[in-house]
Amino acid sequence: MMRIQVLGLCRFSLLVQGDFQTTGEDLDDNRAILYDPARLERRMRWFETLCVPPLMAQTDPDFTLIVATGEDLPEPWAGRLQAVAEAVPQIRIECLPPGRHAPLCREALARHVDPTADVVAQFRMDDDDAVAIDYVAHIRADHRLAARMTHKHHPVVMNYTSGIVARLEGDDLTLHAEMAQNWGLAQTFYFPGGEVRSLMNYRHDKVWAKVPTLTLPGPVMWIRGHHDVNDSRGHLIGKNRVAADPDELPRLLERRFNLDLADLRAALTLPLDRPLPGDGPAIPPA
């Protein structure tokens, strides 16, 4: 039976040089931006309340998600990341030294690649994104569509184009449906097994120019968070909106992502200087 390893990467305020729009080459400047307490609290709330619950509810739990962060990530956020990892056995925290972005991430992925796998399926997500609860199951089931294009020298990439944008402006959280290709969300790289390969060798938005890609406009497969500390500033959001019944979107959150809109709105609109309700991370019990 073919063994497909599913391996993901999520960067949480990773202190690096290069490849981002809101940080640059100076590590001291980048540290001041990334470790600003208000920014860290915003990112952590999105991670705990939007990103993590769908991962905990995956219908296929056989996956690993590397959460890469800086080795000097301050408290209490470093402790909250560890608490999430303790609650979600698929999560592995990699505390990395400052350096160049792409090589650090490639090395972190390499440490977790299974050399015995026939296929290594890699994906990336931001800490304010989410994937549907059957995303891992789709990664395995849909490999058959990519198998004939697989080549020892390059991956095959699968894009799921249907998703939801969750937009936070002030104390208002709104949802809309969107179609998007090569945003990097629910974008799967199928690498042939037997050697260490990395999606970090490819820009998610330009990968179509380098390797074979497939597009599947099927069920809603992702959520993109949009707020005041996005790196991309959301310049692509809204260009391909899809008409949707506003009453259906909350039902989609629950059915496809294990999320409750009222709880999500309460957590994400709570003032940043007030703690979330409860004694620990805002993640549901297993």
Side-chain angles (χ1 to χ4, degrees):
M1 183 177 180
M2 177 174 288
R3 161 75 172 133
I4 300 177
Q5 181 192 18
V6 179
L7 181 61
L9 174 69
C10 177
R11 298 153 302 188
F12 186 88
S13 297
L14 179 62
L15 180 60
V16 293
Q17 297 166 293
D19 292 345
F20 292 97
Q21 299 179 43
T22 53
T23 53
E25 295 296 319
D26 187 287
L27 286 171
D28 290 334
D29 288 346
N30 293 350
R31 183 181 284 106
I33 294 169
L34 294 176
Y35 293 173
D36 173 74
R39 181 191 179 281
L40 282 174
E41 183 61 26
R42 175 80 76 209
R43 305 300 302 208
M44 182 62 73
R45 290 192 184 183
W46 282 86
F47 182 64
E48 291 175 341
T49 61
L50 181 129
C51 182
V52 171
L55 296 173
M56 298 183 75
Q58 287 296 308
T59 58
D60 181 345
D62 183 13
F63 70 97
T64 298
L65 179 70
I66 301 164
V67 177
T69 191
E71 62 182 9
D72 60 348
L73 181 73
E75 296 292 351
W77 299 282
R80 285 165 69 177
L81 271 189
Q82 290 295 334
V84 170
E86 291 172 5
V88 187
Q90 294 90 346
I91 288 180
R92 305 285 187 272
I93 305 295
E94 285 270 352
C95 297
L96 305 179
R100 304 300 304 182
H101 170 241
L104 282 175
C105 290
R106 280 197 296 266
E107 292 164 9
L109 281 164
R111 285 191 284 273
H112 296 268
V113 168
D114 180 357
T116 69
D118 299 295
V119 175
V120 179
Q122 296 183 15
F123 68 95
R124 55 188 150 197
M125 61 193 305
D126 289 338
D127 51 30
D128 52 1
D129 296 333
V131 292
I133 62 173
D134 57 356
Y135 175 55
V136 173
H138 271 276
I139 287 175
R140 288 200 165 87
D142 293 340
H143 173 258
R144 71 191 190 281
L145 302 175
R148 291 188 177 183
M149 290 185 288
T150 299
H151 192 277
K152 64 180 180 179
H153 295 307
H154 61 70
V156 177
V157 176
M158 186 81 70
N159 286 283
Y160 300 94
T161 60
S162 300
I164 295 172
V165 172
R167 183 171 185 171
L168 180 66
E169 290 187 290
D171 59 357
D172 186 28
L173 181 72
T174 60
L175 305 175
H176 73 258
E178 186 131 5
M179 300 288 285
Q181 187 174 5
N182 297 313
W183 273 10
L185 273 166
Q187 184 185 57
T188 310
F189 287 68
Y190 293 107
F191 290 99
E195 59 181 281
V196 174
R197 309 284 287 279
S198 175
L199 56 70
M200 295 305 299
N201 290 337
Y202 304 90
R203 276 184 50 166
H204 65 81
D205 58 334
K206 300 293 186 181
V207 67
W208 57 269
K210 301 291 186 181
V211 304
T213 63
L214 294 171
T215 298
L216 293 183
V220 170
M221 197 65 75
W222 48 263
I223 300 174
R224 159 130 296 173
H226 182 35
H227 48 84
D228 59 347
V229 289
N230 286 118
D231 181 67
S232 68
R233 304 304 190 199
H235 63 283
L236 296 176
I237 288 174
K239 294 185 180 298
N240 292 287
R241 281 178 178 251
V242 177
D245 181 350
D247 293 331
E248 177 61 18
L249 291 176
R251 291 192 287 268
L252 273 175
L253 283 191
E254 182 175 359
R255 185 172 71 251
R256 299 289 296 146
F257 297 95
N258 189 39
L259 294 169
D260 179 85
L261 179 57
D263 291 344
L264 188 65
R265 179 175 282 124
L268 295 181
T269 61
L270 187 72
L272 297 177
D273 59 352
R274 292 176 55 188
L276 290 170
D279 297 325
I283 54 179

